[in-house]
Amino acid sequence: THPMQNNLAPIPELYVSYESAQKLKVEAADLTSHDLTPRQICDLELLMNGGFNPLKGFLTEEDYNGVVENMRLADGTLWPMPITLDVSEEFAQSIEIGQDIALRDQEGVILATMTVTDRWEPNKAREAEKVFGADDDAHPAVNYLHNTAGKIYLGGPVTGIQQPVHYDFRARRDTPNELRAYFRKLGWRKVVAFQTRNPLHRAHQELTFRAAKEAQANLLIHPVVGMTKPGDVDHFTRVRCYEAVLDKYPAATTTMSLLNLAMRMAGPREAVWHGLIRANHGCTHFIVGRDHAGPGKNSQGEDFYGPYDAQDLFREHQEEIGIEMVDFKHMVWVAERAQYEPMDEIEDKDEVTILNISGTELRRRLAEGLEIPEWFSFPEVVSELRKTRPPRAQQGFTVFFTGFSGSGKSTIANALMVKLMEMGGRPVTLLDGDLVRKNLSSELGFSKEHRDLNIRRIGYVASEITKNGGIAICAPIAPYATTRRAVREDIEQFGAFVEVHVATSIEECERRDRKGLYKLAREGKIKEFTGISDPYDVPANPELRVETEGTDVDNCAHQVILKLESMGLIKA
Ligand code: PPS
């Protein structure tokens, strides 16, 4: 490979001048509007600011086909990722080819206009196979393609009016031309970019520093803050971590800038795309690691891509990308020498102690509040991570009772609440069926739709409580398994969801008939009564099932307490 130096001339943007933008904004108010999704806002930002240079808008059908089939636009230019404007069928039908539309952010601010030159229904299965390697919903981008993206794609050139608004970390966000100007000002002729969606630990700091030294270049830490893999550490936490790590590099060698990219986790193609984006940002070198932008396991439990597929594809297209690949060294801690070394350069492997902590092990230690050694990560980083991922015994959680009317849910839930309040430490909120129907859902009846709405409301409140570190105890009938699963998913983003099936039989509930409702249900005076004239899906895998026949309330509540202890949610 030849020694690269950057050409820091500005690259083309899609924005019009400030004056024209003001005018266009007024005119665009009369156009048909498309409300951009969060992912489309990310794509639009990089289209407009030149991050996706040479694209001039959302892909046309011809360009899309070329990109899907052989990673090239219709004119032959290398471009690996479909940047498409997906919309609903209804919206697609409401416009005509040749028409200008306004692209608005989620608050309704007009960011751009687009002349719609193309409209087509893509073959999504084909896109999944060719771009992501398999039509398998376990891949986050394939899942997005099938279950979130609209059915129709629109293509055409974009005219930029204004950048998407960001209120966070404004000083850390740079357009390609802003970075180019910065490098020009500082005389940085060679710049290695490091792409990341994870917190940086000492191994990363060592490897990026080494990469820059080897290339005799400066270093740009270029983390993605747009959209990353579901479940990643949020970007607020990560940026605070990056700022701490930035202080560990020799002054004036390294800088950091935030990239509002929506990642696709497309491995090899994603690496090529990342390279093109970094070339646009004025970088000369790009670090590509093992399993770059990997999506995890497929539905058969296997990797989607080989560990070095990304490096191979990148190497193949390096000249065209216009950026030199620096392959990632696997850095490990050598205890005897108290330093990081590249694994494949250690000659006395058998005589030294080689240490490493995997991502999974790190998450376990955070969850259990265990030690994270200083050789692994910087104390500032660990303390930020501990704030966002406190040990389980300090996180919020939800206990969700489900069962027939009169099964004993409310009574056990009340007993559990006072036991938890006796222990103290976290605020406890009881969302009892009757209470919720009085305060949150007073207009609802008992049709499937209304029951689902009721449960989704309970789930929403419980997820907010859980997010804020409290304990939510819910005690509705919640007869539908799919609705319970949806609530579980809402809550598990923030903390544990403990489903407790109060398994009192319908015969026993009817025999007890505390409120006299079963009698009325039998007489047909109450319709759609759960267990009598309405369905109940018995939970297949609840965290706990309690039998109330022959067991007193105190003991039932105690069983829940024991379960919470065994899950690490409360300390004995
Ligand atoms: S659901 O299905 O989860 O929305 O039900 P929920 O909000 O828990 O409300 C159940 C309570 O409402 C009373 N009730 C009925 N239950 C079931 N079916 C019908 N048709 C019905 N009509 C009124 C009943 O008292 C339930 O209270 P609990 O506490 O469960 O006994």
Side-chain angles (χ1 to χ4, degrees), residues 42 96 131 197 209 299 307:
C42 291
E96 276 161 38
V131 179
R197 43 169 267 265
F209 184 59
S299 49

Side-chain angles (χ1 to χ4, degrees), residues 397-402 408-421 426-440 457-459 461-462 465-466 470-476 560:
F397 64 89
T398 292
V399 181
F400 192 97
F401 290 96
T402 168
K409 301 183 300 287
S410 308
T411 324
I412 301 170
N414 269 295
L416 176 67
M417 175 173 72
V418 298
K419 282 180 190 289
L420 289 169
M421 288 169 81
R426 279 175 287 201
V428 189
T429 302
L430 177 59
L431 297 162
D432 189 34
D434 284 338
L435 260 165
V436 168
R437 285 209 169 251
K438 190 157 152 253
N439 296 303
L440 277 181
R457 287 179 189 170
I458 294 174
V461 176
I465 291 168
T466 303
I471 300 174
I473 304 175
C474 313
V560 181

